[in-house]
């Protein structure tokens, strides 16, 4: 059951990252959490907590719908920030570096948000 939840996150995570790149400032934190979830040294309880936050980030049906420009990711940011704080002991510098390296690698096209 727990493995199924993590597998679903793994399937949907990178497409969502590519979709929101450049639109959400907490993306490096979400990616670092993803790498912490995959780390074999992270305890199962922490992995499941992280998976829950990432599942919330992945689903378009949440407290504030993601389609609302400008406000749609506020609740997602709060969930990611809360879990990042709660699981900070398991989010290692190597996870943060992997996230930063991925974002700087050019593997995704960063779409700039339009100026208002």
């Amino acid at each position: 059951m727990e493995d199924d939840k993590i597998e679903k996150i793994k399937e949907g995570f990178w497409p969502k990252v590519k979709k929101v790149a450049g639109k959400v400032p907490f993306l490096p934190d979400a990616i670092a959490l993803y790498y912490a979830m995959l780390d074999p040294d992270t305890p199962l309880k922490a992995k499941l907590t992280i998976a829950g936050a990432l599942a919330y980030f992945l689903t378009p049906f949440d407290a504030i719908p993601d389609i609302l420009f400008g406000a749609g990711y506020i609740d997602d940011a709060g969930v990611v920030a809360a879990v990042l704080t709660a699981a900070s002991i398991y989010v290692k510098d190597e996870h943060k570096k992997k996230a930063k390296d991925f974002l700087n690698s050019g593997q995704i096209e960063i779409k700039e948000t339009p100026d208002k």
Side-chain angles (χ1 to χ4, degrees):
M1 177 84 168
E2 291 87 10
D3 289 335
D4 291 344
K5 186 175 188 179
I6 291 172
E7 285 304 314
K8 283 191 172 217
I9 301 302
K10 288 165 68 174
E11 288 173 15
F13 187 74
W14 294 115
K16 178 75 172 205
V17 165
K18 290 176 182 179
K19 181 179 177 184
V20 302
K23 297 178 185 175
V24 294
F26 63 88
L27 192 56
D29 293 332
I31 296 172
L33 283 170
Y34 178 81
Y35 285 125
M37 180 187 74
L38 298 180
D39 190 329
D41 292 337
T42 303
L44 181 59
K45 184 176 179 182
K47 286 182 181 200
L48 294 175
T49 301
I50 292 168
L54 294 178
Y56 189 86
F57 170 59
L58 293 179
T59 183
F61 307 107
D62 49 34
I64 302 174
D66 295 343
I67 60 171
L68 296 177
F69 183 75
Y73 291 102
I74 292 172
D75 57 327
D76 299 79
V79 170
V80 167
V83 171
L84 187 62
T85 299
S88 64
I89 191 169
Y90 305 111
V91 182
K92 303 172 186 170
D93 288 339
E94 68 185 70
H95 303 139
K96 295 175 186 176
K97 182 179 181 333
K98 280 183 173 182
K100 183 178 177 182
D101 289 349
F102 176 81
L103 289 170
N104 291 332
S105 71
Q107 292 183 46
I108 58 173
E109 180 182 330
I110 304 291
K111 297 176 182 154
E112 296 297 323
T113 54
D115 293 332
K116 286 192 169 189

